[in-house]
Amino acid sequence: MEYLDQIMGYIQPAIDFFMPGLLAYAGDGAVVDWMPLGIQLGVIALVLALLMREFGAILIFTVVGVIIHIIVDTVMPMVRGGGADGFDFAVFAQQFTEMNYLLYLGAVAIGYLVAITILSMLKGLVFRGD
């Protein structure tokens, strides 16, 4: 367990840096809802890892994963609410000027980079010919 404590000592400053964005956009302001965030990230990363042919495209697939994540985050409240709210482009564009939203996108991007890397390595082990 000493190794885990040492690794967490390296990772904890990054987690603390991105936590305000995660609390604001992936939680209720006090606690991060890890389960919906992890499921959404995992499903999108799995599909992208299966589509990725070579490891050199990891940055492109990370950016695509973040874009898909933004689209799903924007569309899901409209789907759950029956589409009564509609889409307000001004509110959507204004998010990109908020520091907490940019911190959230940074955390999501790191999550996609790690998840797609691990899942593409597993894909390489399972599907030898691909």
Side-chain angles (χ1 to χ4, degrees):
M1 287 309 205
E2 296 171 10
Y3 296 111
L4 186 59
D5 292 336
Q6 185 177 7
I7 292 170
M8 283 305 294
Y10 293 131
I11 296 174
Q12 194 62 44
I15 293 172
D16 293 339
F17 178 75
F18 289 114
M19 193 54 72
L22 288 171
L23 288 172
Y25 288 96
D28 59 359
V31 178
V32 177
D33 294 332
W34 293 107
M35 187 63 69
L37 179 66
I39 291 171
Q40 181 179 350
L41 191 139
V43 168
I44 295 170
L46 179 65
V47 170
L48 290 175
L50 289 172
L51 290 174
M52 192 168 68
R53 290 281 183 194
E54 58 187 34
F55 191 72
I58 186 69
L59 293 178
I60 295 169
F61 276 83
T62 300
V63 171
V64 169
V66 172
I67 291 170
I68 293 171
H69 194 95
I70 292 170
I71 292 169
V72 170
D73 277 349
T74 304
V75 171
M76 280 308 288
M78 289 185 279
V79 170
R80 289 185 183 140
D85 295 339
F87 178 71
D88 189 6
F89 185 76
V91 173
F92 176 73
Q94 195 267 338
Q95 288 180 353
F96 293 100
T97 61
E98 296 177 9
M99 187 62 178
N100 283 341
Y101 192 68
L102 296 177
L103 288 173
Y104 171 66
L105 292 181
V108 167
I110 291 172
Y112 278 112
L113 181 69
V114 170
I116 292 172
T117 301
I118 292 171
L119 290 171
S120 66
M121 282 192 259
L122 289 174
K123 180 189 93 167
L125 290 173
V126 172
F127 303 113
R128 286 288 183 177
D130 260 350

